[in-house]
Structure formats: structure tokens, C-alpha cells
Amino acid sequence: MQHPVVNIWEKTKFGETVLLEYNSIGFPSFGLYSLVSWAKKNGYMVVVTDILDTLKIYMEHARLSGLDVNVFHDIKVIKLGGRLEVGNVLRRIPISEESVIEKEIAKLLESLFSEGNVVNIVVGVGKLFALYSSSVRDTLSLVNFMLSFVGDERRKTFYFLNLDMIEKAEPMILPMFEEFATTVVRVNKRGSVFQFKVLKALNLELDSFEGEVDVKEGMKLLKESQSRD
């Protein structure tokens, strides 16, 4: 049995920018685990942009839930700030001027694209904008850079966005992201159930797609997928 969220991974196209929105009481670690597992199973290179050690936190959530976190050990990682290593860290980029961050990430990704299609996952975005919230100019420049890859068919990008953090750090960021992203998925936790809805999608099969996953059933599906692999 396939996890229903896999529809989102499979039916978005290379060249798309996908927003995965959740609030602070959700567990994005399960979505991240599912996405990384799916990408590796399909032979895609996984590159995680890890902002301020967010990847380590998500991995520990998955481990404490009983999942086999070996799936993270050989993924390629670009670290923005932070000090805790997960996966194959390609480069550490200090969080300084946004222009320096943009230049370093663009150069590194360009070198990776020559090796094949890339599933690029960005975690900890809210933390980054919290740091830049005092400068509207830098914030706008960073958003424009993040969205500049829309249409680049060598890459499919997934941004994990904490709505609570983004809206408090810089309220204008979310509408900008949602306007220019190609697919927007919102996840809410209601008791032991994760409810998700596709708010926007270029793929009409996905547009307005809704579903829910019981936490226990979702964990069972992820573990079954592990055993098959």
C-alpha cells in the first residue's frame, strides 16, 4: 500500500517549486522522511539545504519514532549556519550577507546539476527569515533567489515552511512564496491525524487534492516501505 502523500512527490514535475506548509505542532519530520525515501527509491540525487541544524532535529524525531534513519546518512547536504552534521556535507556556508549565501548556493547547485536530476529539499526556512527580518531589502532579495529556480527542469524543489514562524518573522513572505510557487500543500494536525490539502497546483490531478493520514497508520506504511527496500 502506498502512502497517499507520495502522490504529491510523484505528480509534481521537475522545474517546480513546492511549498509544504505546516504549523508548530506538526511533525514535518515524517513528510521529510517520506520524501527522501521516495526520491532515493527512484534514483534521484537528494540535496538538502539545511538551515541552522534543522535536518538533525527532524532526523532525531524520525529516529525516536522508530524509523530507520540510515536513509539520511548518504544524502548530500548544504549547511547554512549550524554545527551538527547529518549526511554527506558538501559545504558549510556562514549566514552573513544574503548575496554571499546566494552566490555560494547557486555555484554549488550548478555543479550538481551536471550529475543528473536533483530533488532539492530546504528545511529551516523560517529561521533564516527570522534572522533577516530587520532588512526588507535582504529579505526580498533572498525570496527572489529562492524562487529563481522555478522552471529549471534539472531540479524539483520542496520548501518545508513553518507557518507560525514565517508569519511572525515577516508576514509578507508567505504570500510571495505562495504566489510564485507552482504547488502549495498545507498540512494540519488534528489529534492523531494529519490532514493535508493541495491549495494550488499546476497539475490538475493534484489541484484541490485532499487526504488524511492517521499517525499510527502513516508510521506503519513508512516502516513497510523500509522493509521492502
Side-chain angles (χ1 to χ4, degrees), residues 13-69:
K13 298 179 180 180
F14 280 87
E16 288 204 50
T17 291
V18 183
L19 305 186
L20 301 169
E21 303 177 348
Y22 60 95
N23 60 28
S24 296
I25 62 169
F27 280 105
S29 49
F30 297 151
L32 176 66
Y33 190 94
S34 172
L35 176 55
V36 170
S37 298
W38 168 83
K40 293 182 68 175
K41 182 179 179 180
N42 285 275
Y44 299 125
M45 182 192 303
V46 178
V47 179
V48 176
T49 305
D50 176 24
I51 301 168
L52 293 171
D53 294 329
T54 304
L55 180 59
K56 172 67 172 178
I57 296 169
Y58 288 0
M59 186 189 76
E60 290 302 327
H61 285 177
R63 182 182 66 81
L64 291 169
S65 299
L67 295 170
D68 181 0
V69 295

Side-chain angles (χ1 to χ4, degrees), residues 29-192:
S29 49
F30 297 151
L32 176 66
Y33 190 94
S34 172
L35 176 55
V36 170
S37 298
W38 168 83
K40 293 182 68 175
K41 182 179 179 180
N42 285 275
Y44 299 125
M45 182 192 303
V46 178
V47 179
V48 176
T49 305
D50 176 24
I51 301 168
L52 293 171
D53 294 329
T54 304
L55 180 59
K56 172 67 172 178
I57 296 169
Y58 288 0
M59 186 189 76
E60 290 302 327
H61 285 177
R63 182 182 66 81
L64 291 169
S65 299
L67 295 170
D68 181 0
V69 295
N70 283 324
V71 71
F72 293 111
H73 287 175
D74 60 352
I75 59 176
K76 299 181 187 299
V77 178
I78 302 170
K79 288 194 66 66
L80 293 185
R83 57 186 178 81
L84 303 176
E85 292 196 8
V86 175
N88 175 19
V89 177
L90 302 177
R91 187 168 303 171
R92 290 177 173 273
I93 302 173
I95 294 180
S96 53
E97 294 183 11
E98 48 77 28
S99 59
V100 174
I101 293 174
E102 293 172 15
K103 182 179 178 180
E104 289 295 314
I105 291 179
K107 183 168 67 174
L108 187 52
L109 286 175
E110 191 64 33
S111 68
L112 293 172
F113 289 153
S114 63
E115 300 179 33
N117 284 349
V118 171
V119 172
N120 185 203
I121 304 168
V122 185
V123 296
V125 180
K127 297 177 183 179
L128 190 60
F129 285 113
L131 291 174
Y132 281 106
S133 61
S134 61
S135 172
V136 174
R137 180 177 179 178
D138 285 350
T139 298
L140 292 176
S141 178
L142 197 56
V143 173
N144 286 335
F145 169 72
M146 289 179 172
L147 297 172
S148 67
F149 291 94
V150 174
D152 188 335
E153 296 182 6
R154 300 171 298 177
R155 158 179 166 161
K156 185 190 298 193
T157 308
F158 295 87
Y159 286 95
F160 282 73
L161 296 181
N162 181 322
L163 294 178
D164 297 330
M165 192 177 295
I166 287 283
E167 290 175 341
K168 289 178 181 177
E170 191 56 74
M172 68 179 175
I173 294 301
L174 184 62
M176 290 179 64
F177 261 118
E178 290 181 336
E179 179 181 3
F180 294 108
T182 59
T183 299
V184 179
V185 184
R186 185 164 294 176
V187 182
N188 292 300
K189 184 176 181 293
R190 296 285 184 268
S192 64

Side-chain angles (χ1 to χ4, degrees), residues 179-215:
E179 179 181 3
F180 294 108
T182 59
T183 299
V184 179
V185 184
R186 185 164 294 176
V187 182
N188 292 300
K189 184 176 181 293
R190 296 285 184 268
S192 64
V193 175
F194 288 107
Q195 300 170 330
F196 57 90
K197 181 176 183 179
V198 179
L199 303 181
K200 166 185 175 180
L202 289 179
N203 185 338
L204 296 181
E205 290 184 54
L206 279 181
D207 198 29
S208 298
F209 175 67
E210 296 184 51
E212 61 180 37
V213 180
D214 182 90
V215 175

